[in-house]
């Protein structure tokens, strides 16, 4: 009997006991398994150039994509506003998925409601669902604002959010003056970053352009403030806190548009805070008057930034700035826009980051990396790797297209370390698998799903991205700013040193190189 | 309202009624009326729990439920490991359900096994406008080219498929013929039905129509024995089906199929040859069990492998369908494990006795796990189903005590209020609920995924269950939630 009360064995050890191993063998005879030799042959074939060519010839099938759908990004953008309840119009299962997905990454609750449309709504439209749903959500959860977005179901049948919300207000679901923003976020267009963009733009339009015809449009009276939009960012907790510190250090007055750093990081002290922090609705409205808006992620704000620019603001689009030069650029843009000097404190932090890189870069120099993830994230990380003297040889994105690929190529061309590097737009992690087999790298950077690639190909995974389900709390650390870059540097180094130790720890075989000082 | 700790059944019932009345106050009148029917307190000797179930969730209330796709792809089909399951439609559904359910298996993933992979047709606008059948057809070709060892394909429909009028059945038939493989179209669009539950039913029916019917007349791949059984409705979460199978084999039965945790298409095909279907998750697989009873004359029994009391009862019940050899086997196995169970209970019961638990889960767990808690001296003070039907609530009457609070398709608001007032020592529910209650200072275990632990089924699983409940409730962190300087 394998189990015992003193030392309870769970799935890690239990199924390795002889009783279970024997059971697995018995089960196999009912499974009609592939013969071992054939299995081995096919397994080896999947690692070849021939397989890679077939794999890259795919036109219809997507396997292990590194992207999610628009509505997920919609919820991300919405929860960043004060006491705002995301309301997703369409099938209810979608909302269960978004809530679970975010909770698995942030280890936090995510509050969001659905209009629970079913077959009758598919036939007759979801107006009643909107009317009842807004009334219920408003009464139960007492939000200050409701941000409506859609699932693919509502988009396919063509529900008109603007008209539905108007009707719901007329029917008294919520008070006429209550803020209900909306954005159409079809899951079959773009990805989660598109959904973020659409909802962010929808919220700004609501406040700036007269609340869907129910109030006068605001007139811009320019002030000296800076708006910052973080974009869909798995590190939003740490990053936005770091950005606030940077702004404070330079004495910049700012508004962060969509600040989820509190609601996804509430304390365990006996009280559940359904809402916490976030951009106040007043600040969202007044953000119109800001001098300029900085987007930390260009591809998360492709519609929002031009909209803001159209109001007369200057806009700056960055690509998930990580590292020395990217942070330099961010700070210099900030200084240029505000006329305020970069603080001595930040200059010192820069020096400390450069100091750390000088101390450690010998271990990174010349190492080959593969990176995958969202368009901006991959650009930011690739830029930092080039700075460290590493070669980001495969850069892949499922939701990055031609424009993204051109930017990545531009980045490669800017550094001698980019000479042998390639960019793969609109590809998935099964493509990456072929790349890692046929053109191996030293390290892989990506989200949790990269662990399957690590297992198959042996490329050690450094977990940076979204979602990260199987490691805890990294989202609480910044990766932006000089301090953030230091975190990224340490995560990369930790993996490199761990790998060095793992590959040199066999007594009597590789005693050398198992150094105590590195 | 002031809540006195109820001492008598009358006080308990009055307290729960008061509590229900209070939560209903938040709703608009129409909603309050509808929700009132889903909340109640069990009254002893009644044939069900007195709540309405399996009806539409109300818009805007924050239901915990999922959809038909989740019931089919996520529950029934997804664990069949040697088939490629296509999430047909936009990318999200497959992405959010990718690898999240912990249906354990062994196999060469990506070569002859595909359980933890995300295959999708990643619908774009043009697919919505022009239809996705051609894409699906090409996609199946690509599956065959890249995964030649696959034993079949299932098409898991997402919402748009049923709305744009695609004919996935025609594509499946044509491709099944071309490749001589099982290709199963499943109409589990998320807007169908009111929860995951219809997805289970649709998935069961698709096995009947696209797997069984195709097998008619074909011989079994093995010599039958009088002791052949199939495990139905165990998804092998954290290895549950394995820690169950080992007991069935130990009493002398031969398990010829697992539905569907660590399952294969060959096992599905072989099941009509079983002598008995043994059904764990009644909710998700009673349909196919009834079908096999009607069509192939295979009887089925429900069983419960949570906690020694129910395991003993279940082993005897299963054995009673067989000859003395199996009956003796059951007694031998019960006797063999009793010292282990006694030791587990001796170790953990003193730390857990008297602790109050509130549950809200899906499938079978809102009732099935109650015995395991009671084996540890714990008490269930509230329970409810995400997507149960009235037959689930009928079965629940055999588990719950008089006065137990019952909440069907509970809303986020209701659940939070109930827990806040009742102050249980443990809540068992899902990942969406976990962090809410932990922030309130209430210990919590995820009872869908076993909170990344498990297995919880069988004797081996009960030891883990007991350990986990102890570590949840008695974790030192719960003494730290209040700062010492705060009053």
């Amino acid at each position: 009997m394998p189990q015992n009360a003193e030392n309870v064995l769970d799935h890690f050890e239990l199924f390795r006991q002889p009783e279970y191993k024997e059971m697995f063998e018995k089960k196999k005879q009912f499974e009609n398994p592939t013969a071992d030799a054939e299995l081995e042959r096919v397994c080896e074939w999947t690692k070849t150039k021939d397989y890679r060519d077939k794999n890259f010839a795919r036109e219809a099938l997507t396997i292990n994509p590194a992207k999610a759908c628009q509505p997920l990004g919609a919820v991300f953008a919405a929860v960043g506003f004060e006491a705002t309840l995301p309301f997703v119009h369409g099938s209810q299962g979608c909302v269960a998925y978004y809530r679970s997905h975010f909770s698995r990454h942030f280890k936090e609750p995510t509050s969001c409601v659905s209009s629970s449309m079913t077959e009758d709504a598919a036939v007759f439209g979801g107006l009643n669902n909107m009317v009842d749903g807004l009334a219920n959500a408003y009464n139960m959860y007492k939000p200050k604002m409701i941000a409506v977005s859609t699932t693919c179901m509502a988009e396919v049948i063509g529900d008109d959010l603007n008209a539905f919300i108007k009707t719901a207000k007329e029917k008294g679901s919520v008070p006429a003056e209550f803020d209900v923003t909306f954005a159409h976020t079809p899951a079959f267009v773009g990805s989660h970053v598109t959904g973020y963009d659409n909802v962010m733009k929808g919220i700004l339009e609501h406040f700036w352009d007269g609340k869907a015809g129910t109030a006068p449009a605001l007139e811009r009276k320019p002030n000296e403030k800076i708006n910052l939009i973080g974009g869909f960012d798995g590190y939003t907790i740490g990053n936005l806190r770091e950005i606030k510190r940077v702004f404070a250090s330079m004495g910049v007055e700012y508004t962060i548009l969509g600040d989820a750093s509190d609601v996804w990081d509430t304390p365990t002290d006996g009280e559940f805070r359904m809402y916490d922090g976030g951009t106040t609705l007043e600040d969202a409205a007044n953000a119109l008057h800001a001098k300029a808006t900085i987007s930390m992620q260009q591809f998360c704000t492709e519609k929002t930034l031009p909209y803001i620019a159209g109001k007369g603001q200057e806009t700056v689009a960055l690509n998930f700035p990580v590292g020395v030069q990217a942070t330099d650029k961010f700070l210099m843009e900030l200084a240029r826009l505000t006329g305020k000097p970069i603080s001595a404190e930040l200059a010192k932090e820069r020096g400390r980051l450069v100091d750390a890189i000088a101390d450690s870069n010998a271990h990174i120099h010349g190492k080959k990396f593969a990176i995958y993830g969202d368009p901006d994230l991959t650009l930011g990380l690739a830029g930092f790797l080039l700075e460290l003297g590493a070669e980001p040889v495969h850069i892949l994105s499922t939701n990055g297209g031609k424009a993204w690929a051109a930017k990545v190529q531009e980045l490669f061309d800017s550094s001698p370390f980019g000479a042998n590097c390639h960019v793969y737009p609109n590809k998935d992690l099964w493509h990456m698998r072929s790349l890692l087999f046929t053109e191996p790298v030293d390290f892989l950077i990506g989200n949790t799903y990269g662990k399957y690639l690590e297992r198959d190909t042996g490329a050690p995974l450094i977990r940076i991205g979204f979602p990260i389900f199987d490691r805890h709390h990294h989202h609480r650390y910044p990766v932006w700013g000089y301090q953030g870059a230091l975190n990224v540097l340490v995560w990369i180094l930790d993996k490199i040193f761990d790998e060095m130790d793992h590959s040199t720890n066999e007594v009597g075989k590789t005693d050398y190189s198992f150094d105590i000082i590195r | 309202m002031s809540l006195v700790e109820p001492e008598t059944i009358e006080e308990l019932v009055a307290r729960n009624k008061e509590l229900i009345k209070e939560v209903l106050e938040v709703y608009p009148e129409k909603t309050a009326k509808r929700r009132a029917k889903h909340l109640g307190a069990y009254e002893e000797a009644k044939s069900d729990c007195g709540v309405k179930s399996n009806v539409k969730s109300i818009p805007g209330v924050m239901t915990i439920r999922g959809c038909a796709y989740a019931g089919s792809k996520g529950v029934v089909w997804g664990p069949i490991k040697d088939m490629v399951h296509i999430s047909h439609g936009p990318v999200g559904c497959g992405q959010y359900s990718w690898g999240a359910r912990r249906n354990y298996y062994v196999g060469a993933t990506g070569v002859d096994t595909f359980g933890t992979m995300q295959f999708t047709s990643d619908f774009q606008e043009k697919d919505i406008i022009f239809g996705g059948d051609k894409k699906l057809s090409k996609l199946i070709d690509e599956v065959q080219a890249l995964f030649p060892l696959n034993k079949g394909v299932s098409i898991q429909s997402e919402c748009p498929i049923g709305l744009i009028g695609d004919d996935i059945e025609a594509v499946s038939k044509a491709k099944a013929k071309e490749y001589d493989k099982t290709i199963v179209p499943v109409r589990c669009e998320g807007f169908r039905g009111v929860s995951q539950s219809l997805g289970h039913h649709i998935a069961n029916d698709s096995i009947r129509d696209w797997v069984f019917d195709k097998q008619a007349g074909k011989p079994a791949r093995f010599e039958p024995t009088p002791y052949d059984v199939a495990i139905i409705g165990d998804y092998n979460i954290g290895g549950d089906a394995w820690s169950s199978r080992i007991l069935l084999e130990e009493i002398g039965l031969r398990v010829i199929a697992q539905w569907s945790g660590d399952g294969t298409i060959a096992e599905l095909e072989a099941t009509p040859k079983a002598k008995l279907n043994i059904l764990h998750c009644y909710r998700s697989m009673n349909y196919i069990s009834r079908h096999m009873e009607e069509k192939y004359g295979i009887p089925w029994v429900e069983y419960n492998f949570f906690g020694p009391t129910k395991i003993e009862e279940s082993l005897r019940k299963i054995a009673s369908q067989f000859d003395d050899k199996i009956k003796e086997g059951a007694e031998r196995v019960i006797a063999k494990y009793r010292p282990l169970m006694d030791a587990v209970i001796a170790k953990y019961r003193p730390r857990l006795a008297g602790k109050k638990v509130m549950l809200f889960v899906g499938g079978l767990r809102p009732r099935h796990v109650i015995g395991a808690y009671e084996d540890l001296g714990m008490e269930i003070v509230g329970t409810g189903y995400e997507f149960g039907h009235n037959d689930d609530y009928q079965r629940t009457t055999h588990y719950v005590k008089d006065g137990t609070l019952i909440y069907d398709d509970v809303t986020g608001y209701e659940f939070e209020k109930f827990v806040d007032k009742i102050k249980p020592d443990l809540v068992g529910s899902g990942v969406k609920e976990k962090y809410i209650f932990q922030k309130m200072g209430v210990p919590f275990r995820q009872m869908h995924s076993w909170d990344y632990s498990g297995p919880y089924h069988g004797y081996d699983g009960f030891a883990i269950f007991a350990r986990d409940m102890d570590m949840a409730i008695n974790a030192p962190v719960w003494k730290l939630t209040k700062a010492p300087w705060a009053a």
Side-chain angles (χ1 to χ4, degrees):
Chain A
M1 191 186 316
Q3 191 59 286
N4 70 91
E6 278 318 298
N7 177 29
V8 174
L9 305 182
D10 59 21
H11 58 89
F12 287 102
E13 292 297 328
L14 186 64
F15 302 129
R16 297 172 194 210
Q17 304 307 311
E19 293 89 338
Y20 279 95
K21 283 186 176 164
E22 197 185 311
M23 189 189 81
F24 292 146
E25 279 309 308
K26 272 194 251 169
K27 181 175 185 298
K28 228 175 174 180
Q29 63 177 302
F30 300 101
E31 293 183 345
N32 185 26
T34 305
D36 287 349
E38 175 65 355
L39 181 62
E40 181 62 22
R41 184 191 68 76
V42 175
C43 186
E44 289 307 310
W45 170 65
T46 68
K47 301 174 184 174
T48 62
K49 179 71 172 48
D50 176 54
Y51 188 88
R52 172 178 162 166
D53 292 343
K54 282 197 168 64
N55 191 10
F56 272 75
R58 266 190 284 140
E59 289 175 356
L61 174 63
T62 298
I63 310 165
N64 298 353
K67 68 169 181 182
C69 66
Q70 275 214 50
L72 184 80
V75 173
F76 194 115
V79 299
F81 290 84
E82 178 195 13
T84 295
L85 185 63
F87 181 110
V88 184
H89 184 54
S91 299
Q92 72 192 15
C94 313
V95 167
Y97 278 144
Y98 317 142
R99 296 179 67 208
S100 305
H101 206 66
F102 284 129
S103 286
R104 288 175 178 138
H105 175 83
F106 290 113
K107 315 296 178 199
E108 292 285 322
T110 300
S111 298
C112 175
V113 298
S114 163
S115 67
S116 294
M117 286 166 68
T118 54
E119 278 154 310
D120 53 343
V123 177
F124 301 110
L127 176 61
N128 290 336
N129 299 68
M130 180 72 79
V131 171
D132 291 349
L134 286 179
N136 288 325
Y138 176 78
N139 280 290
M140 293 172 75
Y141 298 113
K142 317 263 183 288
K144 286 193 178 162
M145 174 163 103
I146 292 176
V148 178
S149 55
T150 50
T151 76
C152 53
M153 181 215 183
E155 289 298 324
V156 171
I157 66 173
D159 278 3
D160 180 346
L161 294 181
N162 191 13
F164 282 15
I165 293 165
K166 276 206 172 86
T167 308
K169 284 191 168 182
E170 280 159 20
K171 293 191 176 219
S173 297
V174 297
E177 67 284 359
F178 182 78
D179 290 309
V180 181
T181 69
F182 68 91
H184 289 273
T185 51
F188 45 82
V189 176
S191 72
H192 56 287
V193 301
T194 324
Y196 179 97
D197 193 15
N198 281 330
V199 167
M200 184 58 71
K201 178 163 172 270
I203 290 172
L204 297 182
E205 276 175 337
H206 171 83
F207 286 109
W208 296 358
D209 291 345
K211 305 193 173 186
T214 62
L218 298 183
E219 192 192 331
R220 181 164 181 261
K221 295 174 190 141
N223 60 30
E224 291 302 305
K225 279 184 145 183
I226 299 294
N227 298 326
L228 183 130
I229 303 175
F232 192 114
D233 170 21
Y235 298 89
T236 193
I237 316 303
N239 273 344
L240 291 183
R241 286 184 190 153
E242 181 65 12
I243 291 297
K244 289 175 196 173
R245 199 182 61 83
V246 166
F247 281 143
S249 175
M250 286 175 60
V252 172
E253 280 193 83
Y254 64 91
T255 301
I256 289 177
L257 291 170
D259 177 1
S261 65
D262 284 331
V263 76
W264 271 329
D265 193 21
T266 63
T268 285
D269 60 359
E271 180 197 347
F272 163 53
R273 295 159 179 83
M274 184 165 167
Y275 310 111
D276 201 17
T279 312
T280 65
L281 307 190
E282 202 185 349
D283 283 351
N286 288 331
L288 172 66
H289 310 304
K291 185 170 191 190
T293 295
I294 299 175
S295 165
M296 300 299 269
Q297 299 199 68
Q298 177 193 357
F299 294 97
C300 290
T301 48
E302 285 183 298
K303 288 183 194 144
T304 303
L305 268 202
Y307 167 73
I308 295 173
K311 297 290 175 192
Q313 284 188 33
E314 185 169 356
T315 60
V316 172
L318 304 173
N319 298 105
F320 203 91
V322 178
V324 181
Q325 294 164 93
T327 308
D328 290 349
K329 185 180 171 191
F330 167 54
L331 295 183
M332 288 191 298
E333 287 286 33
L334 199 55
R336 180 181 66 78
L337 291 168
T338 61
K340 300 200 176 196
I342 294 166
S343 66
E345 183 191 17
L346 291 169
K348 205 163 184 183
E349 286 173 16
R350 183 185 191 280
R352 288 180 186 136
L353 172 62
V354 174
D355 181 70
I357 293 171
D359 295 346
S360 312
N361 78 92
H363 294 290
I364 306 178
H365 192 102
K367 294 270 193 305
K368 290 186 166 65
F369 285 75
I371 309 175
Y372 70 85
D374 282 346
D376 293 290
L377 175 81
T378 47
L379 273 162
L381 291 171
F384 189 36
L385 286 177
L386 291 171
E387 235 169 45
L388 297 169
E391 294 179 33
V393 294
H394 310 307
I395 309 279
L396 180 146
S397 181
T398 310
N399 51 351
K402 278 184 196 156
W404 167 77
K407 285 211 91 148
V408 176
Q409 190 56 49
E410 206 178 294
L411 183 67
F412 290 156
D413 295 342
S414 73
S415 162
F417 295 94
N420 297 313
C421 301
H422 292 95
V423 59
Y424 299 93
N426 301 125
K427 294 288 181 263
D428 56 42
L429 301 190
W430 202 252
H431 293 115
M432 180 63 101
R433 187 178 185 269
S434 279
L435 291 175
L436 296 177
F437 275 127
T438 54
E439 296 177 63
V441 296
D442 298 302
F443 296 94
L444 170 68
I445 298 182
N447 63 13
T448 277
Y449 291 106
K451 77 192 290 178
Y452 297 128
L453 292 169
E454 180 178 39
R455 180 176 65 182
D456 286 4
T457 69
L461 173 67
I462 299 164
R463 284 172 177 75
I464 304 177
F466 176 90
I468 305 289
F469 291 155
D470 64 338
R471 296 292 185 271
H472 292 192
H473 306 310
H474 286 94
H475 64 272
R476 298 171 193 270
Y477 293 81
V479 299
W480 292 342
Y482 299 120
Q483 298 287 41
L486 193 60
N487 288 328
V488 176
L489 177 70
V490 171
W491 296 341
I492 293 172
L493 285 168
D494 278 350
K495 184 59 94 176
I496 290 176
F497 291 135
D498 281 348
E499 283 303 309
M500 281 180 187
D501 288 346
H502 285 151
S503 61
T504 57
N505 64 0
E506 249 187 291
V507 175
K509 275 197 174 167
T510 59
D511 310 71
Y512 54 87
S513 311
F514 192 63
D515 286 313
I516 209 71
I517 306 161
R518 300 220 190 255
Chain B
M1 132 184 170
S2 68
L3 271 172
V4 281
E5 189 62 23
E7 282 175 8
T8 65
I9 291 298
E10 290 72 29
E11 277 174 26
L12 178 67
V13 170
R15 195 261 334 240
N16 285 346
K17 282 195 173 147
E18 184 65 21
L19 208 46
I20 290 166
K21 200 176 138 217
E22 192 191 304
V23 300
L24 290 172
E25 280 167 10
V26 78
Y27 293 110
E29 200 185 330
K30 186 169 91 176
T31 308
K33 251 184 169 165
R34 285 175 66 183
R35 280 306 304 160
K37 295 175 185 157
H38 297 264
L39 306 172
Y42 171 61
E43 291 175 45
E44 203 162 62
K46 287 273 171 73
S47 66
D48 62 23
C49 297
V51 295
K52 216 173 161 175
S53 59
N54 194 34
V55 297
K56 280 196 275 190
S57 300
I58 300 169
V61 298
M62 212 174 318
T63 173
I64 292 167
R65 283 175 169 176
C67 64
Y69 164 90
S72 176
K73 189 265 185 179
V75 176
V76 174
W77 274 110
I80 300 295
K81 63 182 178 179
D82 56 356
M83 289 176 73
V84 168
H85 306 291
I86 309 293
S87 293
H88 190 37
V91 70
C93 317
Q95 203 69 4
Y96 310 127
S97 55
W98 181 8
R101 210 157 174 266
R102 303 188 69 237
N103 313 109
Y104 278 6
Y105 65 83
V106 277
T109 301
V111 186
D112 71 342
T113 309
F114 311 97
T116 48
M117 294 175 68
Q118 206 296 61
F119 296 90
T120 174
S121 49
D122 188 15
F123 258 35
Q124 301 299 304
E125 199 153 23
K126 63 176 192 303
D127 302 314
I128 301 286
I129 295 167
F130 300 111
D133 286 341
K134 276 189 186 153
K135 187 175 200 177
L136 179 61
S137 183
K138 184 181 263 184
L139 181 154
I140 293 170
D141 294 340
E142 291 173 358
V143 166
Q144 304 306 328
L146 290 170
F147 306 98
L149 300 184
N150 82 78
K151 300 276 174 52
V153 175
S154 81
I155 319 295
Q156 306 289 327
S157 300
E158 300 172 6
C159 287
I161 304 306
L163 299 171
I164 62 175
D166 275 11
D167 191 354
I168 60 170
E169 288 79 9
V171 175
S172 300
K173 270 184 196 155
K175 287 291 162 186
K177 205 172 163 196
E178 183 181 339
Y179 292 107
D180 191 26
K181 280 196 174 157
T182 301
I183 299 183
V184 184
V186 192
R187 287 288 182 176
C188 55
E189 289 90 343
F191 61 81
R192 295 194 197 278
V194 303
S195 68
Q196 292 92 315
S197 184
L198 188 63
H200 306 141
H201 197 155
I202 291 167
N204 277 220
D205 289 354
S206 68
I207 298 174
R208 177 193 67 199
D209 297 342
W210 296 82
V211 179
F212 283 175
D213 289 0
K214 221 182 74 161
Q215 282 305 106
K218 290 190 188 168
R221 288 193 180 83
F222 49 81
E223 280 300 311
T225 78
Y227 303 116
D228 291 353
V229 299
I231 295 177
I232 310 281
D234 190 323
Y235 301 101
N236 205 33
I237 291 165
D240 280 339
W242 293 334
S243 56
S244 303
R245 182 184 186 112
I246 204 163
L247 295 177
L248 297 170
E249 290 185 348
E250 251 186 300
I251 70 172
L253 297 172
R254 189 170 82 154
V255 179
I256 63 164
Q258 280 178 210
W259 288 57
S260 53
D262 193 31
T264 56
I265 184 80
E267 290 168 72
L268 297 187
E269 289 167 354
T271 307
K273 311 277 195 265
K275 299 295 182 296
L276 179 72
N277 280 328
I278 63 164
L279 178 58
H280 209 240
C281 183
Y282 169 85
R283 180 71 276 130
S284 58
M285 285 197 174
N286 77 85
Y287 318 100
I288 200 72
S289 306
R290 291 176 197 279
H291 171 72
M292 283 190 268
E293 185 177 39
E294 284 164 24
K295 177 129 190 208
Y296 309 106
I298 305 170
W300 51 280
V301 293
E302 290 177 62
Y303 71 114
N304 178 348
F305 268 9
F306 288 103
T309 304
K310 290 293 166 189
I311 298 173
E312 286 187 14
E313 213 178 286
S314 295
L315 285 174
R316 289 191 175 114
K317 185 174 168 189
I318 293 165
S320 73
Q321 306 286 314
F322 294 93
D323 59 15
D324 284 351
K325 185 189 140 198
I326 303 298
K327 286 177 192 145
E328 283 156 21
E331 293 309 320
R332 190 184 66 245
V333 167
I334 290 166
K336 174 185 161 187
Y337 284 95
R338 192 162 281 152
L340 171 69
M341 291 299 98
D342 289 347
V344 168
I345 289 168
K347 181 174 175 185
Y348 292 107
R349 192 179 168 113
R351 303 164 62 82
L352 296 171
K355 301 288 186 191
K356 292 185 170 62
V357 184
M358 288 177 75
L359 298 170
F360 186 75
V361 217
L364 70 163
R365 291 164 179 172
R367 62 176 179 275
H368 261 45
V369 299
I370 292 176
Y373 282 110
E374 288 176 348
D375 284 337
L376 295 166
M378 300 166 76
E379 187 192 349
I380 304 299
V381 295
T383 191
Y385 292 81
E386 219 177 290
F387 47 80
H389 299 204
N390 198 46
D391 51 6
D392 291 300
Y393 285 101
Q394 286 167 353
R395 284 164 167 76
T396 308
T397 60
H398 304 301
Y399 287 90
V400 291
K401 288 190 182 138
D402 200 12
T404 304
L405 185 64
I406 307 287
Y407 29 84
D408 176 71
D409 184 20
V410 79
T411 69
Y413 177 87
E414 290 162 0
F415 203 9
E416 187 196 328
K417 283 285 170 282
F418 286 152
V419 170
D420 187 43
K421 298 290 182 183
I422 293 174
K423 303 208 182 316
D425 300 290
L426 180 75
V427 174
S429 191
V431 71
K432 304 192 291 298
E433 295 71 60
K434 177 182 174 83
Y435 303 103
I436 293 170
F437 296 120
Q438 289 190 172
K439 285 177 193 297
M440 290 164 68
V442 182
F444 188 97
R445 286 298 293 185
Q446 289 183 62
M447 294 302 280
H448 299 262
S449 66
W450 302 150
D451 234 313
Y452 323 117
S453 176
Y456 282 175
H457 290 178
Y459 289 120
D460 290 344
F462 179 68
I464 304 163
F465 174 87
R467 179 200 70 179
D468 289 355
M469 298 310 140
D470 174 46
M471 92 164 92
I473 290 177
N474 295 310
V477 67
W478 305 119
K479 294 197 171 70
L480 306 175
T481 59
K482 293 286 176 209
W485 59 86

